[in-house]
Amino acid sequence: MRTQLRLTRDGDTFVARLAPSQMAAMFEALSYLHGYGDTQLALLVGAGRKDVDALLERLAGPHAQSRDLWLTDRELHMAHSALVAAPTMFLVPGGAFAEEPFHIRLGFYRENFDALAHAIVQAAAQM
């Protein structure tokens, strides 16, 4: 998975240049959290189901090549929050991370989500 991300501004929105794997990771993180209740979803990603649905629709693949995705600051926050929050749903009693169930369900390793979440923050900081 490509671990770097480029963000530019287009008025009030961000333009993110995303590789297919990056879009898939964001989609998987958001779609997994979508299964939680409305209150939990709002807490996890800072948005309601309607907003999450709209972003999921835009992230849905398959994607064969990198493309630009226009995101509001709220949508970028939702994607970042989902990447950070999804792994926490795979903690077992005692707080250990269950890597295998995470990888089976989401198709990525935790470090992929961590690296992409970090790349979003780094790209925003460089603007």
Side-chain angles (χ1 to χ4, degrees), residues 2-8 15-19 22-23 26 67 71 76 83 115-124 126:
R2 194 170 88 197
T3 60
Q4 292 191 348
L5 173 74
R6 185 177 62 111
L7 286 178
T8 56
V15 181
R17 183 69 167 176
L18 299 172
Q22 293 171 322
M23 292 188 74
M26 290 178 183
R67 72 179 188 112
L71 299 161
L76 191 61
L83 291 164
L116 184 51
H118 181 72
I120 291 170
V121 173
Q122 291 301 111
Q126 293 174 3

Side-chain angles (χ1 to χ4, degrees), residues 6 18-19 30 36 43 49 75 83 89 97 105:
R6 185 177 62 111
L18 299 172
L30 277 167
Y36 285 87
L43 180 62
R49 193 163 305 280
E75 291 170 329
L83 291 164
M89 302 295 109
F97 176 67
R105 169 57 181 87

